[in-house]
Amino acid sequence: MTHEKILDLIHQAQAQLAFSYAPYSGFLVGAALLTKDGKVFTGCNIENAAFTPGNCAERTAFFKAISEGVHDFQAICIVGGTGGKLSSYTPPCGVCRQVMMEFCSPDTFEIILAVSPEDYKVYLLKDLLPFGFGPGSLKDG
Ligand code: THU
Protein backbone atom coordinates (compact mmCIF):
# COMPACT_ATOMS: atom_id res chain seq x y z
CA MET A 1 0.00 0.00 0.00
CA THR A 2 1.24 3.50 -0.76
CA HIS A 3 2.32 5.85 2.01
CA GLU A 4 -0.33 8.29 0.75
CA LYS A 5 -3.10 5.70 1.21
CA ILE A 6 -1.86 4.91 4.72
CA LEU A 7 -1.98 8.63 5.61
CA ASP A 8 -5.53 8.84 4.25
CA LEU A 9 -6.61 5.89 6.43
CA ILE A 10 -4.95 7.42 9.49
CA HIS A 11 -6.82 10.68 8.92
CA GLN A 12 -10.13 8.89 8.45
CA ALA A 13 -9.59 6.79 11.61
CA GLN A 14 -8.68 9.93 13.59
CA ALA A 15 -11.83 11.69 12.36
CA GLN A 16 -13.89 8.88 13.90
CA LEU A 17 -12.68 9.78 17.40
CA ALA A 18 -15.21 12.62 17.32
CA PHE A 19 -18.03 10.07 17.08
CA SER A 20 -16.72 7.55 19.61
CA TYR A 21 -19.29 6.86 22.33
CA ALA A 22 -17.17 5.84 25.31
CA PRO A 23 -18.62 7.45 28.48
CA TYR A 24 -17.62 4.47 30.67
CA SER A 25 -13.98 3.83 29.73
CA GLY A 26 -13.18 7.29 28.36
CA PHE A 27 -11.03 5.45 25.79
CA LEU A 28 -11.89 6.71 22.31
CA VAL A 29 -11.16 4.50 19.29
CA GLY A 30 -11.47 5.12 15.56
CA ALA A 31 -11.00 2.72 12.65
CA ALA A 32 -10.87 2.99 8.86
CA LEU A 33 -11.35 -0.24 6.88
CA LEU A 34 -10.12 -0.30 3.28
CA THR A 35 -11.90 -2.60 0.81
CA LYS A 36 -10.14 -4.32 -2.06
CA ASP A 37 -11.76 -1.93 -4.51
CA GLY A 38 -10.58 1.15 -2.62
CA LYS A 39 -13.66 2.12 -0.62
CA VAL A 40 -13.31 3.01 3.07
CA PHE A 41 -15.74 2.06 5.85
CA THR A 42 -15.14 3.88 9.11
CA GLY A 43 -16.09 2.96 12.68
CA CYS A 44 -15.90 4.08 16.28
CA ASN A 45 -16.33 2.24 19.58
CA ILE A 46 -19.85 2.30 21.01
CA GLU A 47 -20.20 1.54 24.72
CA ASN A 48 -23.29 0.71 26.74
CA ALA A 49 -24.45 1.16 30.35
CA ALA A 50 -24.87 -2.62 30.53
CA PHE A 51 -21.21 -2.96 29.40
CA THR A 52 -21.32 -6.23 27.42
CA PRO A 53 -23.28 -4.85 24.43
CA GLY A 54 -20.42 -2.46 23.68
CA ASN A 55 -18.77 -2.68 20.29
CA CYS A 56 -15.19 -1.96 19.22
CA ALA A 57 -14.40 0.53 16.46
CA GLU A 58 -13.00 -2.22 14.21
CA ARG A 59 -16.13 -4.33 14.39
CA THR A 60 -18.31 -1.29 13.78
CA ALA A 61 -16.40 -0.72 10.53
CA PHE A 62 -16.57 -4.40 9.53
CA PHE A 63 -20.26 -4.73 10.28
CA LYS A 64 -21.08 -1.57 8.34
CA ALA A 65 -19.27 -3.02 5.32
CA ILE A 66 -20.70 -6.55 5.62
CA SER A 67 -24.21 -5.10 6.01
CA GLU A 68 -23.74 -3.39 2.67
CA GLY A 69 -22.63 -6.57 0.91
CA VAL A 70 -18.89 -5.87 0.94
CA HIS A 71 -16.70 -8.83 1.89
CA ASP A 72 -13.27 -8.11 0.38
CA PHE A 73 -10.82 -6.17 2.50
CA GLN A 74 -7.21 -5.00 2.17
CA ALA A 75 -6.40 -3.21 5.41
CA ILE A 76 -7.66 -1.53 8.57
CA CYS A 77 -6.19 1.44 10.42
CA ILE A 78 -6.84 1.80 14.17
CA VAL A 79 -6.19 4.74 16.47
CA GLY A 80 -7.17 5.18 20.09
CA GLY A 81 -6.44 6.79 23.40
CA THR A 82 -7.87 8.04 26.66
CA GLY A 83 -9.94 11.14 26.02
CA GLY A 84 -8.99 10.84 22.35
CA LYS A 85 -5.32 11.66 23.01
CA LEU A 86 -3.19 9.32 20.90
CA SER A 87 -0.08 8.38 22.86
CA SER A 88 0.47 4.70 22.00
CA TYR A 89 -0.64 2.07 19.49
CA THR A 90 -4.09 0.54 19.98
CA PRO A 91 -3.93 -3.11 18.95
CA PRO A 92 -7.20 -4.86 18.11
CA CYS A 93 -8.79 -6.97 20.85
CA GLY A 94 -9.02 -10.74 20.44
CA VAL A 95 -12.66 -10.66 19.38
CA CYS A 96 -11.90 -8.15 16.60
CA ARG A 97 -8.95 -10.28 15.43
CA GLN A 98 -11.34 -13.23 15.16
CA VAL A 99 -13.82 -11.15 13.11
CA MET A 100 -10.95 -10.19 10.80
CA MET A 101 -10.09 -13.90 10.50
CA GLU A 102 -13.60 -14.55 9.18
CA PHE A 103 -13.38 -12.10 6.31
CA CYS A 104 -9.70 -11.44 5.61
CA SER A 105 -6.70 -13.37 4.39
CA PRO A 106 -4.22 -13.76 7.29
CA ASP A 107 -1.36 -13.63 4.77
CA THR A 108 -2.26 -10.32 3.14
CA PHE A 109 -4.64 -8.31 5.35
CA GLU A 110 -2.76 -5.35 6.83
CA ILE A 111 -3.42 -3.85 10.25
CA ILE A 112 -2.09 -0.31 10.61
CA LEU A 113 -1.65 0.89 14.19
CA ALA A 114 -1.10 4.62 14.30
CA VAL A 115 -0.28 7.29 16.85
CA SER A 116 0.11 10.00 14.20
CA PRO A 117 0.80 10.29 10.46
CA GLU A 118 4.50 10.16 11.36
CA ASP A 119 4.26 7.26 13.81
CA TYR A 120 2.60 4.05 12.70
CA LYS A 121 3.28 0.32 12.34
CA VAL A 122 1.91 -2.18 9.82
CA TYR A 123 1.24 -5.81 10.75
CA LEU A 124 -0.27 -8.73 8.86
CA LEU A 125 -3.28 -10.49 10.40
CA LYS A 126 -1.22 -13.70 10.64
CA ASP A 127 1.26 -11.88 12.89
CA LEU A 128 -1.42 -10.71 15.32
CA LEU A 129 -3.46 -13.94 15.17
CA PRO A 130 -1.10 -16.85 14.52
CA PHE A 131 -2.62 -20.26 13.76
CA GLY A 132 -6.08 -18.68 13.70
CA PHE A 133 -9.32 -20.59 13.36
CA GLY A 134 -11.20 -19.42 10.27
CA PRO A 135 -13.75 -20.52 7.68
CA GLY A 136 -11.19 -22.91 6.13
CA SER A 137 -10.86 -24.76 9.44
CA LEU A 138 -14.39 -26.13 9.05
CA LYS A 139 -13.65 -27.72 5.69
CA ASP A 140 -12.54 -31.36 5.27
CA GLY A 141 -8.85 -32.10 4.91
N1 THU B 1 -11.69 -0.80 21.95
C1 THU B 1 -11.83 -0.69 20.60
O1 THU B 1 -12.78 -0.08 20.10
N2 THU B 1 -10.90 -1.28 19.82
C2 THU B 1 -9.75 -1.85 20.28
O2 THU B 1 -8.94 -2.29 19.49
C3 THU B 1 -9.50 -1.95 21.71
C4 THU B 1 -10.63 -1.53 22.59
C5 THU B 1 -12.67 -0.11 22.80
C6 THU B 1 -13.60 -0.98 23.55
C7 THU B 1 -14.00 -0.06 24.69
O3 THU B 1 -15.04 0.80 24.24
C8 THU B 1 -12.76 0.78 24.94
O4 THU B 1 -11.98 0.65 23.77
C9 THU B 1 -11.96 0.36 26.14
O5 THU B 1 -11.68 -0.99 26.10
Side-chain angles (χ1 to χ4, degrees), residues 39-87:
K39 198 171 172 209
V40 176
F41 287 86
T42 56
C44 63
N45 56 333
I46 306 168
E47 297 184 350
N48 190 284
F51 286 20
T52 48
N55 204 46
C56 290
E58 299 91 315
R59 274 176 290 143
T60 301
F62 268 96
F63 295 161
K64 281 168 69 177
I66 301 297
S67 72
E68 294 189 19
V70 180
H71 284 223
D72 297 318
F73 305 107
Q74 284 188 53
I76 191 167
C77 174
I78 310 160
V79 299
T82 298
K85 185 181 168 342
L86 309 184
S87 52

Side-chain angles (χ1 to χ4, degrees), residues 23-39:
Y24 306 104
S25 72
F27 193 87
L28 314 190
V29 185
L33 175 63
L34 178 65
T35 69
K36 281 195 177 158
D37 59 8
K39 198 171 172 209

